[in-house]
Amino acid sequence: MFSIRHAAVAAALLGAFVAPSQATVVALAADAQWNTFNVSDIDAQSFGVEWIDNANTLSPDFGTPLAFTFTIAAGFKGVLTVVDAGFAGDTFKVTDFGNALGSSSGVPAQSVDTAFYIGTDFDAALADPAFSQGVFEFGAGSYRISGMLDQSVSIDGAPLNSTVGALKLAVVAVPEPSTWLALSAGLGALALVSRRRR
């Protein structure tokens, strides 16, 4: 006969062998297109303020920490732009493999009652200094970017701890030193020729 005691032991053993939820990892394309992240201490499996996956409430990954990965090849540099949206007044700490990269720009703390609301128009948020933003540059290498809410819009005097933000990656070629040398020599020759003509 299977007793309540046996069920409790079975549940404890099952819990010991089932791995806890892992982070949702998204490969970030270098296409300068916005990729959304969310913050919600209610939806986060940790009840924290880290960037989370909340795209699908039926997914087992709902509420897991969200990270974005990308690799920059030699001879290129990456420019990562992070922006807050929703209500003006939130800021983020941004990390790479858990190591601090920096914070998005400081903006005045706001209340939901008075803060400007922009929804998910990330281009408009980027153009508006009331919304926090950050630009980070990366050399060749592999990266795993995540973040957390640093300052939250308030509601009734308490942090709302819920927002939406986005990031995008652009990659550009870095001129080789020989290219810079040739450019400098060419400009010098032009300056010399123009001086002789005078």
Side-chain angles (χ1 to χ4, degrees), residues 40-111:
S40 172
D41 62 355
I42 294 171
D43 292 334
Q45 290 183 3
S46 70
F47 301 105
V49 291
E50 67 272 14
W51 295 354
I52 61 167
D53 177 5
N54 72 350
N56 180 355
T57 58
L58 300 177
S59 167
D61 292 332
F62 179 76
T64 59
L66 182 60
F68 298 89
T69 60
F70 58 91
T71 299
I72 306 294
F76 292 86
K77 78 173 181 180
V79 179
L80 182 76
T81 304
V82 178
V83 68
D84 173 47
F87 289 103
D90 298 308
T91 63
F92 304 111
K93 287 184 180 177
V94 181
T95 62
D96 174 34
F97 285 103
N99 299 313
L101 282 177
S103 297
S104 58
S105 60
V107 292
Q110 299 278 336
S111 166

Side-chain angles (χ1 to χ4, degrees), residues 5 13 27 53 56 73 76 79 96 107-108 114 131 160 174 197:
R5 175 185 259 166
L13 287 173
D53 177 5
N56 180 355
F76 292 86
V79 179
D96 174 34
V107 292
T114 59
F131 290 87
L160 180 62
V174 176
R197 285 187 180 172

Side-chain angles (χ1 to χ4, degrees), residues 186-198:
L187 290 174
L190 284 174
L192 186 61
V193 166
S194 92
R195 180 182 281 178
R196 284 190 176 181
R197 285 187 180 172
R198 283 189 233 161

Side-chain angles (χ1 to χ4, degrees), residues 82-194:
V82 178
V83 68
D84 173 47
F87 289 103
D90 298 308
T91 63
F92 304 111
K93 287 184 180 177
V94 181
T95 62
D96 174 34
F97 285 103
N99 299 313
L101 282 177
S103 297
S104 58
S105 60
V107 292
Q110 299 278 336
S111 166
V112 169
D113 300 331
T114 59
F116 181 67
Y117 181 75
I118 206 160
T120 57
D121 188 343
F122 302 115
D123 289 319
L126 187 62
D128 189 332
F131 290 87
S132 182
Q133 55 194 268
V135 177
F136 305 89
E137 291 189 5
F138 300 91
S142 293
Y143 302 92
R144 182 183 173 117
I145 305 301
S146 56
M148 65 186 316
L149 195 60
D150 192 26
Q151 172 182 294
S152 177
V153 170
S154 65
I155 185 167
D156 297 329
L160 180 62
N161 288 341
S162 180
T163 193
V164 61
L167 48 77
K168 64 181 178 178
L169 177 67
V171 174
V172 295
V174 176
E176 295 291 326
S178 59
T179 304
W180 285 112
L181 184 60
L183 178 63
S184 297
L187 290 174
L190 284 174
L192 186 61
V193 166
S194 92

